[in-house]
Amino acid sequence: MNVKQEEATRVRNIALIGNPNSGKTTVFNQLTGLRQKVGNYPGVTVEKKEGRVPLPDDSEASVLDLPGTYSLTANSPDEKIATDILLGRVTHTRTPELVVCVVDASNLERSLYLVTQIIDRNLPLILVLNMMDIARDSGIEIDVNKLQHALNVEVIATVASRGTGIQELKQAMTSTHKATGNSRQWRLPELVERELAELQAMLEQHHQLSEPLAFHEAVTLLSGHNGTAGHRNKYSPEILDHLHKDHARLDFMGIDRQSVFIESRYEWVRRVCAEAVITAHRSDVTFSDKIDGILTHRIWGFVIFFGLMALMFQTIFSWAALPMELIGAGFDWFGRLISDVLPPGDLQDLIVNGGLAGVAAVVTFLPQILFLFFFLGVLEDTGYMARAAFIMDRLMAKVGLNGKSFIPLLGSFACAIPGIMATRTIEHPRDRLVTMLVAPLMSCSARLPVYTLLIAAFIPAVTVFGVFSLAGITLLSMYLLGLGAALGMAWILRRTLLKGSPPVFLMELPPYRLPSLKSIFIQMWERSVIFLKRAGTFILGVSIILWFLSTYPRFEGASPSDQVQKSFAGQAGKLIEPVLKPLGFDWKIGIGLIGSLLQREVFVSTMGTIYNIQNADDGTGNVSLQSRMQQDRDPVTGIPTFTMLTAICVMVYYVFAMQCLSTVAIMRRETNGWKWPAFQFGYMTLLAYGATFITYRLGLVLGIGG
Amino acid sequence: MPASASIMPLQIPSPCLHMSESFSMDEVALSTLVPGERGKVSRISGTSAELRRRLLEMGLNTGTAIQMIRFAPFGDPIEIHAKGFRLSLRKLEAESIMVNRELR
């Protein structure tokens, strides 16, 4: 390999860091596009996002997107990982060769606090001054050259949501940067400086720590927010003894050890800002303020919130209809093609009615899932989610949670997995646990296929209040039922198993901004890849197994519906039928429930497989699953399998039941044991059974049983 | 170590200076400001060290100008403006942030 090639294949290791809401993820998406990989750091449950960036000099860089953080002294698992990576303390993750710090230009002073801490790490650094447009709009002018000079760091101005400045950033990433150097510019009061220098020198000597690491440890020890108790095993007795005296001396001098480090950094930041920022006259009422006046209004705020939710579910329903039909038609065409090519028999049956029917039933719902992620992405990116948390906090406080728990819960509408992972922004372990335990009650996108199949088939197409369809209202009701159940369960858990003081709520309200469509589309792409992978592997496998179970043992001369009933699956369904009878479910629904124990959307593919086998020979080959379910009658009594009430009952069951292997797995990982996932599975299944039973009985009394 | 020990007696102990600050006439809890009112942070006390550190690190240091923006629909939490950004926190926490109210 010659030198040139070696240069070209060398991958530089870059870490991306920044405050929450600084637009860091948008910068990451602009840099890497679809070349992203999501994993986990070894030993901890923090999501590790990495991506590849092609650079203008034909080399490539590997960019690590660190969790958003306000400081490098924080204690939450997310923030700690950022600190540890910059200190080179994480195994299997190399210390970055270059740090790119994204700061919000409209919020420079606070952002630079983190920058002072990064500079102390003595790593090569580029500062990305993002959201220059918002800063300008609110009357803030920043002299980039002066800022660069004052910080002694290269500064690139960007508007990442529009891609402005990204090319310059890539260019800057190619050139080598010197480490920020041993030139700490912020100063502590003389006495503290001296104590710090002594302690740092001792740490370097006694524990062979590198200079930046010793400095970091010395600051942590002196500011002493953990006390000295936690360090007993980590440091030599001399150091602990010295530290003890340091604390006593500083305390005696009336120095606030906690705030002195923070205020000294801010003191320097103020001087840098005074030099580089030209703040024109700021009007008191900004654009964001005017919107906020309405969106957080005591009446309009809630009207708009619920209106937006209704609109979201309504459009998911109507906009996705056409692409769903197209996908369905595509699979039908493919099935007919295979039927033409393959001779009739078990093989043809397996492929067309087993695998293909099952996968088709699920893949058809891809458009709805894409729309859901699109809406959630827009709400998040515009800054509306934070407002929703703001107006909802009081309600969340009532059930013993805080507004921050509301965001993971809202995110669980998409999927409980990212929802549960999003709880990592909740500082207190108990608050976090409660949120995780109730998050899967929020109706995730995997329930959407179940709901929409049943709604389309059994809820009459009526319009209510002139604008909303009954279908949309039903769908919204299911989501609200899940939300209500989640809040109710949180309330109960907070008063029984997980008592404790009310959680702290501290949340930044970012200014409103236009969402970056690129970021949203990248997220939609990632989700659809995951969804399709599952359809191609797990669901395909289950569909094939189910086909076997509902086709064998073979009975010669039995009618197709008799055949299904006498098959293994039919027998299993019959076996649990007595348990399901009180809920108004028959054995076919029973097969669906068992089949979807590991994954909810399998219910739909199960129905697809069963009804395809059952109706294989009756000449209705091309009829949709919906109408087959509508027409299905008990062969003996002639009573329909599904009525509107049964459909509602099945939906209610799915609102509550924990039918998701992945959620169990992530709960095990996040809580580090089987206790909580087992508890969660148990309470949710009981709740599902109870709620469905009540719904069924109530329905019969009200006479909607049919 | 002996160096710093030797200079200790030379310094004037300052706890008394800190005490005097807290007797300022218009010092009120942040939670008592009405929307639109401004003040400057004088101290944060009566809260956990962890929360205090987070508030300080977000820039609510002594002397930082704060404006009360609004209360959430049911009166809690509150939204404040400080150092060019908006922060929401509950009244309970805002009670531990003392500010010198700007007189109008």
Side-chain angles (χ1 to χ4, degrees), chain A residues 37-309:
Chain A
K37 195 173 75 189
V38 180
N40 262 280
Y41 294 103
V44 283
T45 54
V46 177
E47 198 176 62
K48 182 179 187 178
K49 243 183 157 180
E50 264 179 307
R52 299 239 154 185
V53 190
L55 294 178
D57 63 352
D58 293 330
S59 71
E60 213 179 40
S62 161
V63 176
L64 184 61
D65 187 20
L66 296 177
T69 181
Y70 291 109
S71 83
L72 296 181
T73 23
N75 287 327
S76 86
D78 258 35
E79 294 163 311
K80 210 172 163 308
I81 203 87
T83 311
D84 286 348
I85 282 178
L86 292 195
L87 288 170
R89 288 200 294 212
V90 178
T91 42
H92 308 300
T93 305
R94 284 179 297 169
T95 314
E97 292 160 63
L98 174 66
V99 179
V100 175
C101 179
V102 182
V103 305
D104 172 0
S106 67
N107 207 341
L108 192 62
E109 193 171 335
R110 201 209 48 217
S111 314
L112 286 180
Y113 178 79
L114 176 67
V115 176
T116 68
Q117 293 185 319
I118 298 168
I119 290 175
D120 289 343
R121 297 296 172 271
N122 197 15
L123 291 166
L125 176 67
I126 297 177
L127 196 73
V128 173
L129 200 54
N130 194 27
M131 301 200 260
M132 286 297 271
D133 53 339
I134 292 178
R136 219 164 281 141
D137 290 346
S138 50
I140 300 169
E141 285 295 333
I142 298 171
D143 188 325
V144 175
N145 280 327
K146 278 187 178 163
L147 185 65
Q148 196 158 275
H149 184 74
L151 293 170
N152 195 20
V153 164
E154 177 166 10
V155 178
I156 312 274
T158 63
V159 182
S161 56
R162 281 194 249 127
T164 315
I166 296 299
Q167 206 48 42
E168 288 81 351
L169 175 60
K170 284 185 185 172
Q171 189 63 47
M173 284 159 85
T174 58
S175 52
T176 38
H177 287 77
K178 288 196 298 285
T180 42
N182 187 20
S183 55
R184 178 163 59 92
Q185 294 181 63
W186 59 280
R187 279 284 171 236
L188 289 155
E190 208 37 53
L191 176 63
V192 189
E193 274 300 338
R194 254 195 309 261
E195 305 280 21
L196 182 67
E198 276 173 24
L199 192 60
Q200 184 183 345
M202 283 179 81
L203 284 165
E204 281 172 36
Q205 269 173 24
H206 292 226
H207 295 279
Q208 284 78 47
L209 296 183
S210 68
E211 212 180 295
L213 194 55
F215 178 78
H216 171 81
E217 293 288 296
V219 170
T220 311
L221 289 173
L222 275 184
S223 55
H225 35 256
N226 295 328
T228 48
H231 308 295
R232 213 150 271 160
N233 302 319
K234 210 168 144 194
Y235 301 106
S236 69
E238 290 99 312
I239 286 182
L240 290 179
D241 183 55
H242 183 87
L243 182 65
H244 194 69
K245 286 179 185 148
D246 280 352
H247 279 188
R249 261 197 301 277
L250 294 175
D251 289 347
F252 178 72
M253 298 308 289
I255 287 168
D256 185 332
R257 288 186 287 104
Q258 189 180 38
S259 68
V260 72
F261 291 94
I262 301 169
E263 299 209 339
S264 300
R265 287 180 195 273
Y266 265 114
E267 186 49 48
W268 179 67
V269 166
R270 259 191 295 275
R271 270 185 280 132
V272 170
C273 287
E275 216 168 298
V277 180
I278 317 138
T279 309
H281 176 70
R282 255 183 102 114
S283 64
D284 272 358
V285 182
T286 61
F287 173 63
S288 273
D289 270 331
K290 285 186 192 145
I291 305 179
D292 263 348
I294 303 165
L295 292 187
T296 63
H297 188 268
R298 63 180 60 220
I299 296 158
W300 296 120
F302 289 101
V303 170
I304 290 168
F305 175 75
F306 287 107
L308 271 176
M309 293 293 118

Side-chain angles (χ1 to χ4, degrees), chain A residues 322-333:
Chain A
L322 182 66
M324 285 172 72
E325 266 169 41
L326 291 176
I327 293 175
F331 272 102
D332 278 350
W333 172 83

Side-chain angles (χ1 to χ4, degrees), chain A residues 575-597:
Chain A
L575 194 69
I576 62 161
E577 200 173 20
V579 185
L580 299 177
K581 210 77 219 196
L583 309 182
F585 296 171
D586 78 336
W587 57 275
K588 276 181 204 157
I589 301 175
I591 300 175
L593 295 188
I594 302 174
S596 66
L597 207 55

